[in-house]
Amino acid sequence: MTAITDEDFTLAGEYVLGLLDAGQEAVVAARIATDSDFAAEVEAWRLRLNPLLGPEHLAPAHIWPKIEKALPAATLQDVGTAKLTFWRALTGLSVTAAIFLGVLLLQQPAPTAPVANPTPMIAALGSEDGRSAMTASYDSTQGTMLLMPVTLETGELYPELWIIPADGKARSLGVINGDRPTAMDVSPDMRQYMNEGALLAITPEPAQGAPGGVATGPVLASGKMIIL
Amino acid sequence: MPVVARANHPEISELGSKAALHQPNAFAILSRMTISLGPTDLDSARRAKLAEALVQAGRGDRNAFATVYAATSAKLFGVCLRIFPDRNEAEDVLQDAYLTIWNKAASFESGRASPISWLVAVTRNRAIDRLRAKKKVGTSSIDQAAEIADSAPLADAQLIEQADDRILHDCISSLDQRDAMFIKNAFIGGSTYADLAKNEGQPLGTIKSRIRRALLKLRGCMEGAA
């Protein structure tokens, strides 16, 4: 640690103000990385001067969806471990399978009149640590959902599936089979919530489902419904 | 007691708020929960939460990144608007800034900087890069410097809302008017020493020693007032 001189104080201020040329900036950036006293002085200048960069303004609501869309695909984001990569690859595979099954489902003999604008939706449900738990594919024309569990450990309890629409309230879709792929009918009063952007989530609950329709267990996995 | 006990599982009610994040209204509410800059009103728990979310975003966690956005977008949009008063342009810069934040989040070190000052610095740098690129193609920088002086007057009522802002404002006002303008033209207008010297028609050394004296005076004033 070197003693901070007046030259250092001004240098830190010059750096924060952006007065330096590219070469000097690079030198200062290197010093910040190696000299914590100097880094603290840069931070102090930022705190002093940042009020000049205000006041706050509410960002328009359409910005976030654009940012989210522009992020690289989650599978490309390196988080490091091979295990994670494996699970992500598996998620990819089961999503593909879900899409395939979803398409099959849609190709089942149509009712007498052709259906307008079928909107197949899928969701990949993963745990907080990124592990794939289940994929779901929903056919809104039939109100049918295909569930393909990947890993769903609920111990002595049973996986209960919830739909959480924009209002943030979790509504039960019922206890599901966590061991093998199944097709379920979404009850007619729940179909209104099965929209793009709604969240599917799984909690461990007693065999007969969460008492009073309120989740008691922690969320094991969740995923947003997206339109194909 | 749930038989499945794994650490860090969120409650379903928390998940609901994540889903709600995608709705404009909920977004507006969340966006108002901005982190204040001043060390005095900086809620340390909130700051730690933001730092944690930023670190998680650096590991590729999109939910954490959404949390960072919700907590900071009003602050950072303010930064963009200060540098680009044109709203459309400011929106573009904001978007660009968050993508940069996503890419750089892994380099954020919570021990070295507060999350908000790191985020503001990244955003300002993106905005200034763009401004400088535009200036290269654009008109004379003297005109633009004058524009900045007009469009962002230091006496801006909104600017002095908060105590910290007021101290900064008072201290900048105590500087020589010219020096105060240099500081603003650098921080908000992207002028370097070389630009200022050229605009002023003065030797680089003269400008440098002027600003260095002004910086020491500013620091003395702000520390005396705090």
Side-chain angles (χ1 to χ4, degrees):
Chain A
M1 302 293 144
T2 48
I4 297 287
T5 64
D6 272 1
E7 282 74 46
D8 294 331
F9 283 128
T10 50
L11 183 63
E14 290 168 323
Y15 175 77
V16 170
L17 284 173
L19 286 162
L20 305 175
D21 64 39
Q24 293 165 315
E25 269 195 0
V27 172
V28 175
R31 179 150 175 215
I32 291 170
T34 53
D35 181 344
S36 60
D37 289 341
F38 184 73
E41 191 51 38
V42 169
E43 173 75 2
W45 271 114
R46 284 191 174 137
L47 291 175
R48 277 181 206 120
L49 292 168
N50 278 352
L52 279 178
L53 296 174
E56 294 179 355
H57 275 268
L58 210 55
H62 64 87
I63 301 275
W64 172 249
K66 281 194 198 165
I67 293 170
E68 207 182 21
K69 218 171 174 179
L71 294 179
T75 44
L76 297 177
Q77 196 60 35
D78 73 313
V79 196
T81 70
K83 189 176 161 200
L84 212 49
T85 311
F86 166 71
W87 282 110
R88 285 189 168 154
L90 195 56
T91 309
L93 277 179
S94 39
V95 167
T96 311
I99 293 167
F100 178 63
L101 284 174
V103 169
L104 281 187
L105 193 74
L106 285 172
Q107 285 173 346
Q108 279 172 358
T112 45
V115 181
N117 301 323
T119 50
M121 282 181 277
I122 60 157
L125 283 72
S127 60
E128 282 268 292
D129 57 8
R131 297 207 294 165
S132 173
M134 188 176 82
T135 53
S137 157
Y138 178 67
D139 173 10
S140 62
T141 61
Q142 310 285 326
T144 322
M145 188 149 58
L146 274 180
L147 303 173
M148 310 206 12
V150 181
T151 43
L152 214 45
E153 296 159 48
T154 49
E156 289 168 29
L157 296 175
Y158 297 83
E160 184 162 3
L161 185 63
W162 306 82
I163 179 78
I164 307 171
D167 67 5
K169 281 194 194 122
R171 295 166 177 86
S172 177
L173 295 175
V175 172
I176 60 169
N177 187 325
D179 299 326
R180 68 178 88 84
T182 43
M184 71 179 281
D185 283 323
V186 174
S187 74
D189 56 323
M190 286 295 144
R191 289 178 193 177
Q192 56 179 309
Y193 302 119
M194 306 293 288
N195 297 312
E196 187 178 33
L199 211 58
L200 286 173
I202 294 170
T203 64
E205 303 293 347
Q208 68 277 17
V214 180
T216 58
V219 174
L220 294 179
S222 64
K224 219 170 26 153
M225 303 208 353
I226 55 170
I227 289 179
L228 283 178
Chain B
M1 277 288 103
V3 176
V4 186
R6 225 187 273 155
N8 298 329
H9 283 307
E11 296 295 324
I12 203 149
S13 54
E14 293 169 36
L15 212 56
S17 61
K18 275 179 197 164
L21 211 55
H22 300 282
Q23 298 307 310
N25 284 343
F27 230 106
I29 295 160
L30 281 169
S31 301
R32 273 183 220 116
M33 298 168 24
T34 33
I35 309 293
S36 168
L37 260 183
T40 44
D41 29 74
L42 193 64
D43 176 342
S44 61
R46 237 198 216 175
R47 176 180 149 157
K49 216 171 173 182
L50 179 59
E52 175 61 21
L54 194 51
V55 169
Q56 290 299 327
R59 294 177 189 149
D61 182 336
R62 285 152 179 264
N63 283 336
F65 187 58
T67 305
V68 171
Y69 181 87
T72 60
S73 56
K75 173 93 238 158
L76 299 190
F77 191 43
V79 174
C80 296
L81 276 170
R82 175 61 66 177
I83 294 167
F84 285 100
D86 177 89
R87 232 186 133 82
N88 286 332
E89 197 136 28
E91 288 179 13
D92 282 353
V93 178
L94 184 68
Q95 212 177 311
D96 189 28
Y98 273 102
L99 292 175
T100 308
I101 288 163
W102 170 259
N103 289 326
K104 285 184 129 180
S107 70
F108 168 71
E109 292 177 69
S110 53
R112 266 177 195 275
S114 80
I116 195 71
S117 66
W118 186 85
L119 291 162
V120 167
V122 170
T123 304
R124 179 196 166 271
N125 291 347
R126 285 309 295 165
I128 294 294
D129 282 350
R130 192 175 170 123
L131 192 63
R132 284 178 180 163
K134 274 188 76 173
K135 271 186 191 171
K136 263 185 196 160
V137 239
T139 51
S140 100
S141 38
I142 286 186
D143 292 347
Q144 294 201 336
E147 266 171 44
I148 291 157
D150 290 343
S151 67
L154 283 170
D156 185 342
Q158 286 170 301
L159 193 67
I160 56 173
E161 267 174 1
Q162 292 181 340
D164 296 323
D165 300 8
R166 202 174 303 118
I167 292 171
L168 177 66
H169 168 253
D170 290 348
C171 288
I172 285 189
S173 300
S174 75
L175 299 176
D176 177 281
Q177 223 180 340
R178 204 97 200 119
D179 292 344
M181 203 196 73
F182 290 154
I183 285 175
K184 280 202 321 160
N185 282 350
F187 201 45
I188 302 165
S191 299
T192 60
Y193 271 137
D195 297 329
L196 293 173
K198 196 174 149 209
N199 293 348
E200 290 294 299
Q202 285 187 21
L204 198 60
T206 311
I207 293 285
K208 279 187 183 174
S209 47
R210 255 189 101 142
I211 292 182
R212 282 174 187 162
R213 270 198 307 274
L215 282 172
L216 286 173
K217 195 178 166 196
L218 182 62
R219 177 175 142 260
C221 174
M222 291 189 75
E223 293 195 343

